[in-house]
């Protein structure tokens, strides 16, 4: 993923999902725990010196492992470099657990898995897939997208008869109600 320093700085100034001053140790040799302002914004964990407004570093929380090390300590390591760990020491075990949960929920992969889970739950409950996947929508041709946009949401699964009224059709210039797609002479038959 590419991003500029300016973009990261701007992102670091956004409201945080979670922020606190906690002890942190970076994976450098001889590094010691230092008090840092740690701020979670979207899927980035920014860390600041407590007296400065600009971050001194940021961790992109993708392809990482968040592990509880001790009662009040957790670590973040990355799949590519599992031995390179960032350690964080919280004031309480409860605070440590809150951070671990927030960090795990912050990744794109977690959101993706959640979407798949809830889509499957909707399908189990209704017998229908309620939301098309992004991949399915991206593969539609323009004419298929036009047809999809003409279909009422309840019948967008293909359970409609040819010539049904389009819900998104507009009245004609004389204020008459919408006509069937086929009657309007459009190429798309709903």
């Amino acid at each position: 993923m590419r991003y500029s320093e300016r973009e990261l700085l701007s992102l670091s100034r956004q409201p945080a999902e979670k922020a606190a001053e906690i002890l942190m140790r970076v994976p450098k040799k001889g590094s010691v725990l230092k008090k840092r302002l740690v701020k979670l914004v979207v899927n980035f964990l920014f860390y600041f010196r407590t007296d400065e407004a600009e971050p001194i570093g940021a961790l992109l929380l993708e392809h990482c492992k968040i592990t509880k090390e001790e009662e009040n300590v957790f670590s973040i390591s990355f799949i590519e470099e599992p031995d390179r760990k960032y350690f964080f020491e919280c004031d309480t075990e409860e605070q440590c657990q809150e951070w671990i949960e927030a960090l795990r929920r912050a990744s794109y992969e977690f959101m993706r898995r959640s979407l798949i889970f809830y889509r499957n739950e909707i399908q189990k409950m209704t017998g229908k897939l309620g939301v098309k996947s992004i991949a399915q929508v991206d593969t539609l041709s323009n004419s298929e997208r036009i047809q999809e946009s003409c279909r009422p949401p309840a019948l967008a699964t293909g359970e409609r008869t040819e010539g049904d009224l389009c819900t998104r059709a507009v009245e004609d210039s004389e204020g008459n109600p919408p006509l069937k797609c086929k009657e309007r002479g459009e190429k798309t038959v709903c």
Side-chain angles (χ1 to χ4, degrees), residues 2 18 29 57 80 129 133 137 143 146 173:
R2 291 184 176 196
K18 188 158 187 65
K29 249 187 181 182
E80 302 87 31
L129 188 58
S133 73
V137 172
S143 63
I146 292 169
S173 61

Side-chain angles (χ1 to χ4, degrees), residues 24-64:
M24 178 183 175
R25 185 178 71 194
V26 296
K28 286 184 185 175
K29 249 187 181 182
S31 177
V32 295
L33 286 170
K34 294 182 182 178
K35 190 163 250 332
R36 297 286 184 229
L37 170 60
V38 180
K39 186 175 173 182
L40 176 62
V41 181
V42 190
N43 60 346
F44 277 93
L45 186 66
F46 294 96
Y47 50 99
F48 303 74
R49 289 188 180 94
T50 56
D51 59 345
E52 293 182 9
E54 289 191 16
I56 55 174
L59 303 175
L60 176 61
L61 299 172
E62 300 300 335
H63 307 290
C64 67

Side-chain angles (χ1 to χ4, degrees), residues 4-15:
S4 71
E5 189 174 324
R6 188 179 65 188
E7 290 171 323
L8 280 178
L9 187 58
S10 174
L11 185 61
S12 74
R13 292 180 178 142
Q14 299 298 314

Side-chain angles (χ1 to χ4, degrees), residues 163-166 169-170 172 176-184:
D164 284 347
L165 282 174
C166 294
V170 294
D172 65 14
N176 296 320
L179 299 172
K180 297 175 185 173
C181 291
K182 193 172 184 181
E183 292 175 5
R184 283 201 308 251

Side-chain angles (χ1 to χ4, degrees), residues 40-172:
L40 176 62
V41 181
V42 190
N43 60 346
F44 277 93
L45 186 66
F46 294 96
Y47 50 99
F48 303 74
R49 289 188 180 94
T50 56
D51 59 345
E52 293 182 9
E54 289 191 16
I56 55 174
L59 303 175
L60 176 61
L61 299 172
E62 300 300 335
H63 307 290
C64 67
K65 182 177 180 183
I66 298 148
T67 309
K68 186 170 185 178
E69 300 286 341
E70 296 172 22
E71 187 177 309
N72 297 1
V73 179
F74 67 92
S75 68
I76 299 174
S77 60
F78 294 89
I79 293 170
E80 302 87 31
E81 300 177 88
D83 296 332
R84 186 178 162 91
K85 289 185 175 183
Y86 294 80
F87 289 91
F88 300 86
E89 185 176 320
C90 302
D91 294 333
T92 65
E93 186 174 1
E94 183 182 332
Q95 183 188 33
C96 182
Q97 196 57 44
E98 289 172 4
W99 271 102
I100 290 170
E101 292 303 315
L103 294 170
R104 286 182 177 157
R105 286 190 312 263
S107 76
Y108 169 80
E109 189 58 34
F110 175 83
M111 290 184 265
R112 185 179 161 279
R113 283 193 311 263
S114 296
L115 174 66
I116 291 167
F117 170 79
Y118 288 117
R119 185 182 299 142
N120 289 337
E121 289 298 305
I122 290 170
Q123 188 173 16
K124 285 178 196 173
M125 293 169 68
T126 65
K128 297 179 183 178
L129 188 58
V131 179
K132 282 194 178 229
S133 73
I134 293 170
Q136 287 173 316
V137 172
D138 286 344
T139 60
L140 293 176
S141 68
N142 283 340
S143 63
E144 289 170 320
R145 288 177 198 218
I146 292 169
Q147 287 177 338
E148 284 292 314
S149 69
C150 280
R151 294 183 180 162
L155 299 175
T157 59
E159 302 171 0
R160 57 187 292 111
T161 59
E162 185 178 329
D164 284 347
L165 282 174
C166 294
T167 59
R168 296 193 179 143
V170 294
E171 297 176 345
D172 65 14

